[in-house]
Amino acid sequence: TARIEVPKSVKAPLHKGENMGRIVYEIDHTEIGSVDLISPQDIPRGGFFRTIIDGVLRFFAFIFGQT
């Protein structure tokens, strides 16, 4: 089986080559290998309005238990 391990949320900025998580491969609950999930490019921080919208969305996700 394969299991994806990533944080619940990732905040920008991200830099090209930054580790964002990993995929773990298992047989009978024994890890046989893994692959890092790497950012393929720089991802800049959002502008003012993007930051406000993301904050509102995170607030409602927290209120309704989606985090």
Side-chain angles (χ1 to χ4, degrees):
T1 61
R3 181 180 76 247
I4 299 174
E5 296 179 346
V6 293
K8 288 188 181 220
S9 66
V10 178
K11 289 189 176 185
L14 291 174
H15 303 288
K16 182 178 179 176
E18 189 170 337
N19 189 324
M20 300 169 45
R22 68 186 192 136
I23 301 174
V24 179
Y25 299 97
E26 297 177 337
I27 294 178
D28 295 327
H29 303 289
T30 300
E31 183 176 326
I32 60 169
S34 65
V35 177
D36 289 334
L37 299 173
I38 305 296
S39 175
Q41 63 189 27
D42 287 338
I43 301 172
R45 183 170 188 251
F48 176 75
F49 290 109
R50 177 81 262 168
T51 303
I52 296 298
I53 291 169
D54 287 346
V56 170
L57 292 174
R58 279 194 304 272
F59 171 76
F60 283 109
F62 175 78
I63 294 296
F64 294 107
Q66 300 297 316
T67 59

